[in-house]
């Protein structure tokens, strides 16, 4: 081992506020015991509102997200093929007007807005996780009513309008997809487009698809064939169903994989369908208990486990890349805290600690099932021109980064090989799926990695219940088999005092119209902060 520095990342949930002496929790990191690659599965983002991409705060946040990663970040957005109907940007709504028809039914393609979206990514070194959807009005079998005007507090089902229906002409649908891929090659080059991922639709096992499972499979076959005709080396996948922890969602995923393996292709008549990667979603389920937020990470991990189990049962597909297309503590990013009080975890340190703990277990589950997890999409971006800290599931508010984004800055500094962590650990993926993180045992744990020039250790202290009062916990961290030389130690933290713009905002009196100087202070507080100065240690053999 030749690395020259150790970087410690520490995430504390604000619930631990009672200072009572107790024995330290022992955590051991063995840098000689490699357990797998530290894949950048965190470097994936997504959101409902594609037109936020090129707006003021959207561009700022994308710049920051791109900068936190040494590898390209992939971005997934809904509604890339939706037809214009009034203002483009609204909660859970977006449009590009890419496809219309003339009076004779001939297609008219307009790539202006979709180019603006993808240019914003490409110019920052990011890459599209290109979602083929939803249905243009001119192709929908039920074009009226087409647009929704959903607002927080309304029934979620109100969003499912004409854009969610099958096409009236699958050949025209396929031609739209073919032309989109060809246009992308012309604009960005073959090599660039080969590095993208193309997917068909979103959550077609629920209301996002107002057709049958077989009709979705037909939609997929025509789209996949069109992508491959335009670019045989392109990557196409699906089905982006909801969490397989639900038996009906598991059945949908299995039906899709069976078709990909043996079914008759609707577009070609041949056996099977192109499948270069597999996608599904995984969500937790927080609730309010006696006025207190109680998370449910176990539900999210159960979705992931069931999905991995299904994929691993297919020898033909087990080694394909898996992308968890949405992987979050719950299901509605646009549902603010004001209207949905169980989402009150989002502004502060509970979200950041949850994120650290959940991503570590995604690695555990992938290791257990021997599958090829390459990405887990965080469905949380920003919401333009909304109230400060309104409690949306986002990474920033009015251009100010929230604590959760600093977890991803930490992940961006972790690379190389994951190494073994052991000790007095109360929780792993199995216990969390079964019982959650409740009672008097917090999830105090770590994720560690080692690369050529540095070693990194991420420590967190997490509990499912936000206002749980418990003893402050000290940790005895043992690092085994260090190189025999001087090492630089750096310590970064997300807690009440560090990397936490929300706490600074609260201490300002929660202003909804902060001054320019206050905004500058909040922007500074939103960045990842060191807890103390770096220091050198001497490592010697015993």
């Amino acid at each position: 081992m030749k690395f020259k520095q150790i970087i410690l990342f520490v995430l504390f949930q604000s619930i631990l506020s009672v200072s009572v002496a107790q024995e330290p929790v022992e955590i051991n990191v063995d840098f000689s015991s490699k357990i797998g690659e530290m894949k950048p599965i965190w470097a994936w983002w997504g959101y409902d509102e594609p037109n936020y991409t090129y707006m003021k705060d959207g561009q700022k946040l994308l710049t920051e997200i791109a900068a936190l990663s040494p590898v390209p970040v992939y971005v997934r957005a809904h509604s890339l093929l939706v037809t214009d109907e009034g203002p483009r940007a609204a909660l859970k709504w977006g449009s590009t007007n890419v496809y219309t028809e003339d009076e004779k039914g001939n297609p008219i393609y307009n790539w202006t807005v979709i180019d603006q979206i993808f240019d914003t990514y490409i110019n920052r070194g990011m890459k599209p996780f290109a979602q083929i959807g939803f249905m243009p009005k001119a192709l929908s079998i039920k074009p009226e009513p087409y647009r929704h005007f959903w607002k927080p507090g309304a029934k979620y089902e109100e969003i499912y309008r004409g854009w969610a229906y099958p096409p009236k002409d699958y050949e025209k649908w396929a031609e739209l997809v073919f032309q989109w891929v060809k246009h992308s090659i012309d604009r960005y080059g073959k090599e660039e487009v080969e590095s993208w991922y193309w997917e068909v639709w979103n959550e077609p096992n629920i209301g996002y698809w107002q057709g049958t499972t077989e009709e979705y499979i037909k939609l997929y076959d025509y789209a996949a064939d069109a992508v491959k005709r335009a670019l045989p080396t392109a990557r196409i996948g699906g089905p982006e169903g909801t969490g397989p922890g639900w038996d009906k969602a598991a059945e949908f995923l299995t039906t899709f994989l069976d078709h990909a393996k043996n079914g008759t292709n609707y577009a070609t008549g041949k056996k099977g369908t192109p499948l270069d990667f597999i996608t599904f979603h995984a969500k937790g389920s927080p609730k309010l208990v006696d006025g207190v937020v109680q998370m449910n990470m176990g539900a999210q991990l159960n979705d992931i486990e069931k999905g991995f189990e299904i994929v691993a049962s297919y020898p033909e597909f087990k080694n394909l890349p898996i992308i968890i297309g949405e992987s979050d503590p719950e299901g509605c990013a646009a549902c603010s805290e004001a209207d949905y009080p169980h989402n009150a975890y989002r502004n502060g340190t509970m979200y950041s600690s949850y994120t650290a703990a959940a991503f570590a277990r995604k690695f555990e589950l992938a290791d257990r099932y021997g599958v090829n997890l390459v990405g887990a999409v965080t469905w949380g971006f920003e919401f333009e021109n909304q109230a400060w800290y309104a409690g949306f599931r986002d990474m920033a508010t009015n251009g100010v980064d929230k604590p959760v984004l600093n977890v991803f800055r930490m992940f961006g500094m972790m690379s190389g090989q994951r190494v073994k962590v052991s000790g007095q650990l109360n929780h792993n993926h199995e216990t969390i799926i079964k019982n959650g993180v409740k009672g008097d045992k917090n999830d105090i744990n770590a994720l560690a990695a080692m690369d050529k020039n540095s070693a990194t250790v991420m420590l967190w202290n997490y509990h499912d219940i936000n206002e749980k009062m418990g003893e402050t916990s000290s940790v005895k961290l043992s690092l085994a088999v260090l190189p025999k030389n001087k090492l630089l130690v750096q310590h970064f933290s997300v807690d009440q005092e560090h990397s936490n713009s929300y706490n600074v905002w609260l201490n300002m009196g929660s202003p909804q119209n902060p001054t320019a100087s206050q905004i500058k202070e909040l922007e500074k507080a939103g960045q990842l902060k060191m807890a103390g100065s770096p220091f050198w240690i001497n490592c010697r053999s015993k």
Side-chain angles (χ1 to χ4, degrees), residues 224-241:
D225 177 64
V227 169
K228 291 293 189 179
R229 282 189 289 110
L231 181 61
T233 51
R235 295 183 288 196
I236 182 71
E240 286 290 2

Side-chain angles (χ1 to χ4, degrees), residues 12 45 83 96 98 106-107 113 116 131 146 151 156 161 257 267 281 307 341 346 363 368 376 379 405 441 444 477 520:
F12 287 111
W45 266 270
T83 304
T96 64
V98 72
N106 298 312
V113 177
Q116 193 174 4
Q131 184 182 118
Y146 186 76
K151 293 183 179 180
Y156 196 86
R161 300 292 180 90
L257 293 177
H281 295 178
R346 293 168 165 181
F363 283 115
R368 176 180 176 181
W379 201 257
L405 187 59
K441 297 294 185 181
I444 301 172
L477 179 63
K520 187 174 182 179

